[in-house]
Every structure is written in C-alpha cells, then in structure tokens.
Amino acid sequence: MLHSIIEMLRSIIGAITGENDRKKIRGTVVLMKKNVLDFTDLRSSIIDRVYELLGKGVSLQLVSAVHTDRTNGLQGQVGKPAYLKGWITTITSLTAGESAFKVTFDHDAEIGQPGAFIIRNNHRSEFYLRTLTLEDVPGLGRIHFVCNSWVYPADKYDADRVFFTNQAYLPSDTPGPLRGYRESELVNLRGYGTGELKEWDRVYDYAYYNDLGNPDRDPTSAKYARPVLGGSVKYPYPRRGRTGRPPSETDPNTESRLPLLMSLNIYVPRDERFGHIKKSDFLAYALKALVQFVLPEFETLCDSTPNEFDSFQDVFQLYEGFKVPDGPLLDKIKENIPLEMLKELVRTDEEGLFKFPTPQVIKEDKSAWRTDKEFAREMLAGLNPVVIRRLEEFPPESKLDPEVYGNQNSSITKEHIENHLDGLTINKALEKKRLFILDHHDTLMPYLRKINMTSTKTYASRTVLFLKDGGTLKPLAIELSLPHPDGDKFGAVSKVYTPAEHGVEGSIWQLAKAYAAVNDSGHHQLLSHWLNTHAVIEPFVIATNRQLSVLHPINKLLDPHFRDTMNINALARQILINAGGVVESTVYPSKYAMEMSSIVYKNWVFTEQALPADLINRGMAEKDSDAPHGLRLVLDDYPYAVDGLEIWSAIETWVEDYCSFYYKTDEMVEKDSELQSWWKELREEGHGDKKDEAWWPKMHTVKELMDTCTIIIWVASALHAAVNFGQYPYAGFLPNRPTISRRFMPEEGTPEYEELKSNPEKAFLKTITAQLQTLLGISLIEILSRHSSDEVYLGQRDTPEWTQDATPLKAFEKFGRKLADIEENIIKRNGDEKFKNRVGPVNMPYTLLYPTSKGGLTGKGIPNSVSI
C-alpha cells in the first residue's frame, strides 16, 4: 500500500515539473530473487522490501556507445538512474523462478545509442539477473542485453557491475566510449591474486592442485597427505581455480580443506556455480548425501552381513530389490535427504526393498556381458573406446626406460596366437591391419609395486585382438605382468592367458578378462574421463574469463562449453578425487590415483585431442582425401569413431563459419590483443607445465584459431559425453566393468584354485570389487550418468538472442540441422544388422554420441559442457 502511494506521489511531482512529458525508454528486467532459491532467507527478503520503501531499490543507468564524458576519463556518457518498479508488489512463486520487472529511463540525447548499463543492487540480498530489454529506443528500436549473472549488494563490490549489449566486437572495433568499461571489467575478473575469495567475488585465478591431501586429518602419519600436482617437473598438471584458502597447519604447501558439511560452499566464481533451480544442483546435493549419509550406512549394512557377493544372482538382486535391515539406513536417509532427492537417489518400494535401476548392459540378457565378443566390442563402442590401437609390431614393445625397468616387452609369442588368425601368419595379419591391442602395461607398471602394497592386488595388462572377416574383434591373448620380485631393473614377470570356455580354464580366462577390465576402468575414470576432459578444460574456462571480454566473439563462441565445469571440478576435489575420497575408495590405484594421472599428463598434447589426430595416432585411421572427413577408418564398424567423426565435422564446419565472419585475414588474428593475451596466458599459466612445448599452435592464423576452438568444443562436449554418460549403462553392473581387484590369479595347488574349480562365480566375485565398494561405486556413477532436466545440448543455446549478428545465427541454425541429421544417421546405423559392433550380444545400441536427450539416465545426449 505504502509503495503504491510513493509511486502516485512521484507521478504527481512529475506532472508538476514536466518530467512526465519527457521521452521515455521503457524496459523489462528479468531476474530471479534469491528467496525463490533459498527457503531460509526470508529475513533478507523482508529487509529488501523495507529498503525499497526507504528508496534503496535496484537502480540502472544506461551507458552511451557513441558519446563520451570528459569528466569520466572519456568513457561512455552515463544516464540518470532508473529504478525497478514493483519489487514489493511482485509476489514471486517459490516454483516459478524468474520474474519480470518494469523500468523506465529518461531518453537523453547525450546517451544516444546505449551500449551498456550499470546496475546497483541497494538491497540486502543478491539476485540473478537474466536480461534487460529496451523497447522503442529512438532511432534504434529494440535493444537486448543478455546478463546471466548474480548481482550482489553494491557494498560487496569495489567497482560497478556493468553489462553490455549482445553485440560482438573485436577489441579494435569496440566503440570508443565502451573500451574503458570493457578493459575494466576484465581487470575486475582477474582479481589481485591474493587473499581468500568469498562467494560474491567474481575472480578467476589459477592454483596448483594442492588441495587434494588433508594432512591435518592425521598429522602423525602420511595417510591423508598427497603430493602437490602442478608446478613441478615431477608432477605436472593443469591448473585449477584458486580459492585462496589458507595453508593447512601440518603442511604449508597444502591448502586447508573445508569440512564435509561445507562441501557445496567451496569457492568458484558465483556465476560458475550450479543454478539452484536446475537439476545439477540436486546432483551436487546427491553427491554430498552419498558421502555424508549413505556411505556410513552402507558400511554398517555391509559390516553386519558378509562383505561379499556369493553369486551373480546376489548382484542382480541390487536391481530387483534387496531388503535393508529395519532402522539405520532408511531412517538416516529420510532424516537427511529431501524428498525429491530421496526418490531419485534411493528408490524403495512398498515393501522397503532398496533397488537400483537395471543397467542396460544386463537389461536384455543377463549373461551376454561375459562373452568374448562383448568384451571386445566394448573397446569400440563402450565406456572407454579411446584406448584401443592397431598393433604395428609383434610382440608388443614397451616404451619404458630399460635402464630403469629392464625388459618390459611383451611375452606373448607366435605360438599363443597364430593358430587363431583365420589362416593368416602374424606378419600377414599385421600387414592387413587386423591385429589390435588394449595396452595398460606401461602406464601401470611404474606404480604397480606401490599399488599392490595397498589392498589392491592387480597386474599390468596387454590384450591382443584380431579383426575377423565379419568386422568384429576377438581376443587372442591377455598378458598379466608384475614387477620382478628382485627389483624393477630385472624387468617384468608375465603370464599369458588364452581363451577357453569350459572348466577351470574357462574360469581363469574370465578372471584374466576381469583384470584387463579393472585396468581399463581405472584408465577410463582417471585419464580418459577426469584428466582428458574435466582437468584439461578448466584452464580454458579461467583464461577465457580473464582475457576475453564478454563482447569478444570467441568468448561468445566458447562460453556455453564452459558451463558448470569449474563447479563440478571443485566439488570433485572436495568429495571425489581427494585423499580418502570416493574415487580412491572405488578405483584400483587407490591413494596413487591422482598422482598417476599427473604422470600421464606429461604425454598430453593439445593438438592430439582432435579426434582425427587421435585416431591416426592410435593407428585406427589413415588420411584419405577421398574418404568422408578426409579419413579412412582401419576398422569400418567402430561406432565411437564413425559417430564421432560426424560430430567432429559438424563442430568444425560451425566453428569455420563463425570465425570466418569475424576474422577475414590472418593479420586480424595476430593483431587481436585480447585473443593473443588469452592464448599466451592459457599456455604459460593455465597449462604452465607445458608452456615450452613446440606443438602449441602459434595463434598467428585464422586456421589455427579455428582448429583450437574446434578441439576445445569437441573435448568439452562430445568427448566428455562419450566417456561419461555410459558409466551406469555399462558399469552399473560392476562384474562387467570391475574397478578393483583384491587378489591375484589363483595358482594351481592353492585353496583359491580349488574354490575356482568348485564355485567359479564366488571366486570371481571375491577377486573383483567388494560389496561395499560396489554399492558406493554404482551409487556414484548413477549420479554422474544422469542428465539434468534443463540440460543444454550441443547445437542449442539457453537464449536464442545470444548475439545480434545475423550471419552467425544462421550458421548456428545450420549446425543444429546438421546435428539432427546425424541423429537420424545414428538410428539408421544402429538398425543395420551389418554393423555388428553397434548393438552386440547385449542388444545395447550405441547412442553415447546421439546429440540430444531427455533428462535422467538415458545413455545418450551431448551436453555443451563438462557439467557433471
């Protein structure tokens, strides 16, 4: 009521003074109040209304793109403040989210064309500013500002919050009155490099991975100490976002850690946080709940029952429903987890049976996963299809230093495999490009002695396969190797296993495949997934925000592919990849997991992340100008590569169309000051341990820019989708993708060997991941395999007006149509029986590179970014 009276008085005064007769520019602001998101912040909401009554509302001032102010350092002329109308009277639904508010500006000839606006939040609490749209600007019509940013109370900031129109400008083309604002905004985002960062800070800065260990948790031992990753020759690593937390008390080189209860409060720039109304925030809470509440109760449950599965039927029971003892587990979960999340995270029926969704790999056939054909197929169309390579020499050779590790070359001989090559000799099979290898020997061997001193008992492995006439692969031999008991310099002690179907030999062969699968699971989670997508992309996110203005066309191109990456990575450091975290508990390298990924990063090459380069490096494709995409696959029915090359080509064409609109010559690339600063900082800071590598593009040509952006988009979208969203469909049934092995291969004459003969299923399950780790592992990967309900997929944007430039908008529409065509192609290929690797014995079509999806656990869909 009082607010209405104030508005009426303003109107009367305006009529008396003639203010109402001046030309007005009417606008609409779309924002989301904090109290929509935070049920506990009603006090701030009430105070905000009081502030409104006292005239302390939300003000906006237009900034001219054409006229400068001599008193303001020749920056754009700033108009008079205008205030949002109806803050008090707009009752925001707790579920609606966004609200629209009117704002009216005086038209000022000295402003002319608005190119930006300044907003001041004089309230007590923050809000999420979505857009500002101006209507009927004299001589210009409609002007739209895309903001998508949290705006905190003005006293939290050292500088005004400025937002620009959605017109892209290269630095040299920026209207003069806006240049100072453009440069100042980047300075604000870089911060000062010191101090602990607070939630309202917008600072993007770099730090080493010095927050994985927690030496203060047990100062008397090194149990929770971990090496600093990054900044050294021994442990190189991509940089992460800086938080500025103080060092731990025990080790000044290790950053102190947040308590588990504070996990979701780990600093990332506020606009990089999960939005509260999106499903990803539910996923964040689910991860926290998993570690905080579910894991301890699973431990209690497993401690009260034998810590083993006795048969595969025991494992199947996880998906059919198993009875949880009355009391602790369900009570604890219900007490601590919101209802919606409870339904998703822990499904129970009326009888109180706990159950997980049935993974696709066992949905149609519960035993097909055990076949050699499916074992091999998943190397081409499974969860980790990025490791298999063509064998180019026999026997396989090691690249480990023989001075340190002795002879690490393979012990697989001609006698092991030549009788299974469909009449070919080994040399002929090599010549015809029909021998392949899944090689997890050199990566693992340097750490194997240390890993086997933990509860893990495993081997380095090599799996050799043959391409049959029908286009499918069959495994020929699996070599399992251990370090020599007398020392590394004496080489490896290896044993070779060959396929068998029956008796104890068949059981031993199943175990050999399990050891190979354990290695592949660890490689997948730590390297293919974490290192090669999550970790390597984060420096690009940071450098882009620090050096490329939101006005820069390359910022507009890349920004959707960075959504939520810093947030999920920060959460991972807090809960998943930290000392004693979920990954160390469920993946075989245990405490050496992240350290191993650092060693592998030594061989990371940015340009080799391009799909064509990767396929060529692995011998899976050869250059052929007459073939689609300029490549001829060695193995035609390679679903990941076939679908991936179509996606890669579509991204490449889109990037070429976009960049060529803004950069007509190579000179424009060289003279783009922001672009050159971005690329220099990315190399020297973001991937600083690689700064002297000769393979970095020089960023002197349009072609280098296009290639770089294509790789970034590919890694953040399609590559991540290919190695992430199949986790539950393939590995939700852990015997198919075990992550840990707990004992060595049974030797003849031992009780374990006798058990293998008499009860092979029990012996198999006692060797791989235990009951507790299975429950924890599949709980985790179920969360990580889900799409949020508001996911934005490749070829989509969260706003159709992301740029004012018509040509890029048309090119983006063309990109979307091409992706729709690719979806149809994937469906056709999956239905074509000649492609035997696309569906396989488990009757599971390959859809991980199908561009779109609905929310949930779908096994398809390519989100724009590494967002989970």
Side-chain angles (χ1 to χ4, degrees), residues 828-844:
K828 287 177 183 175
R829 285 193 290 268
N830 284 345
D832 191 334
E833 292 184 0
K834 76 178 180 186
F835 297 124
K836 297 181 174 61
N837 294 323
R838 297 201 66 92
V839 176
V842 294
N843 195 20
M844 182 178 175

Side-chain angles (χ1 to χ4, degrees), residues 563-595:
R563 169 178 163 170
D564 294 339
T565 300
M566 289 188 73
N567 202 155
I568 192 63
N569 284 4
L571 196 62
R573 298 196 313 271
Q574 183 66 15
I575 291 176
L576 301 180
I577 61 174
N578 58 300
V582 177
V583 168
E584 287 194 358
S585 302
T586 59
V587 179
Y588 74 84
S590 188
K591 64 181 289 186
Y592 301 106
M594 292 300 291
E595 188 178 324

Side-chain angles (χ1 to χ4, degrees), residues 628-830:
H629 321 297
L631 285 185
R632 179 171 50 81
L633 291 175
V634 170
L635 204 165
D636 292 335
D637 188 11
Y638 183 1
Y640 163 74
V642 173
D643 296 358
L645 284 170
E646 288 195 352
I647 298 290
W648 169 270
S649 180
I651 295 171
E652 186 176 49
T653 300
W654 152 237
V655 170
E656 288 173 358
D657 290 345
Y658 183 87
C659 290
S660 61
F661 177 77
Y662 296 100
Y663 296 92
K664 306 300 184 186
T665 66
D666 292 341
E667 185 181 24
M668 293 179 72
V669 171
E670 286 195 83
K671 291 188 174 180
D672 184 333
S673 57
E674 286 184 7
L675 188 72
Q676 294 303 323
S677 295
W678 170 68
W679 194 239
K680 182 176 188 292
E681 181 173 288
L682 187 282
R683 297 189 329 268
E684 296 181 0
E685 297 288 338
H687 282 279
D689 298 330
K690 294 280 190 178
K691 64 183 178 183
D692 296 324
E693 300 284 3
W695 43 254
W696 283 110
K698 305 300 182 190
M699 204 54 72
H700 290 166
T701 68
V702 179
K703 178 72 164 58
E704 286 179 320
L705 173 61
M706 291 172 174
D707 290 347
T708 295
C709 292
T710 301
I711 292 172
I712 293 169
I713 294 172
W714 162 260
V715 170
S717 60
L719 179 60
H720 178 258
V723 298
N724 184 76
F725 293 102
Q727 289 187 86
Y728 195 82
Y730 285 100
F733 181 66
L734 223 57
N736 184 54
R737 298 280 303 177
T739 58
I740 293 173
S741 53
R742 296 176 288 149
R743 63 185 191 182
F744 293 120
M745 182 73 81
E747 296 289 342
E748 198 165 357
T750 63
E752 291 81 7
Y753 190 87
E754 292 303 313
E755 182 180 46
L756 188 64
K757 287 169 65 176
S758 62
N759 194 340
E761 283 191 10
K762 186 171 185 177
F764 181 95
L765 292 167
K766 285 172 75 171
T767 301
I768 65 165
T769 317
Q771 189 181 45
L772 171 61
Q773 283 88 356
T774 295
L775 293 170
L776 179 58
I778 62 178
S779 296
L780 171 65
I781 63 174
E782 186 197 343
I783 294 166
L784 299 183
S785 300
R786 286 182 172 273
H787 289 294
S788 63
S789 58
D790 65 341
E791 191 66 81
V792 183
Y793 295 95
L794 193 63
Q796 302 174 357
R797 292 269 177 151
D798 57 6
T799 173
E801 296 184 79
W802 56 275
T803 181
Q804 286 184 8
D805 295 320
T807 300
L809 285 174
K810 287 180 181 177
F812 190 66
E813 289 177 10
K814 185 178 85 171
F815 178 44
R817 290 194 299 270
K818 180 60 179 176
L819 292 171
D821 292 342
I822 291 171
E823 290 188 344
E824 291 185 11
N825 294 342
I826 290 172
I827 291 171
K828 287 177 183 175
R829 285 193 290 268
N830 284 345

Side-chain angles (χ1 to χ4, degrees), residues 124-190:
R124 172 76 175 264
S125 59
E126 68 271 25
F127 55 79
Y128 186 74
L129 180 62
R130 182 72 76 186
T131 59
L132 165 64
T133 306
L134 303 180
E135 305 291 349
D136 300 323
V137 179
L140 298 167
R142 182 177 180 274
I143 297 180
H144 189 65
F145 298 79
V146 177
C147 307
N148 289 333
S149 181
W150 284 94
V151 178
Y152 274 75
D155 61 5
K156 298 293 187 185
Y157 297 125
D158 295 330
D160 286 330
R161 292 300 312 275
V162 179
F163 294 92
F164 300 92
T165 63
N166 59 346
Q167 175 65 56
Y169 295 105
L170 295 178
S172 59
D173 296 333
T174 308
L178 297 181
R179 286 184 182 177
Y181 290 104
R182 177 175 183 151
E183 292 164 5
S184 296
E185 179 70 358
L186 286 174
V187 170
N188 293 334
L189 291 172
R190 291 177 202 138

Side-chain angles (χ1 to χ4, degrees), residues 210 215-216 225-228 246-256:
N210 65 344
D216 292 348
R226 297 292 181 270
V228 174
S248 67
E249 295 179 7
T250 308
D251 178 7
N253 294 319
T254 297
E255 187 171 277
S256 59

Side-chain angles (χ1 to χ4, degrees), residues 186-252:
L186 286 174
V187 170
N188 293 334
L189 291 172
R190 291 177 202 138
Y192 306 110
T194 58
E196 183 169 358
L197 296 166
K198 305 301 182 184
E199 69 167 271
W200 51 82
D201 284 320
R202 305 169 56 233
V203 171
Y204 294 79
D205 204 356
Y206 302 99
Y208 302 139
Y209 276 71
N210 65 344
D211 61 343
L212 302 178
N214 188 6
D216 292 348
R217 184 173 172 181
D218 187 358
T220 62
S221 76
K223 183 176 181 181
Y224 295 103
R226 297 292 181 270
V228 174
L229 304 185
S232 68
V233 174
K234 185 176 182 182
Y235 297 122
Y237 220 63
R239 303 299 186 256
R240 63 168 176 92
R242 184 176 78 84
T243 68
R245 293 198 305 270
S248 67
E249 295 179 7
T250 308
D251 178 7

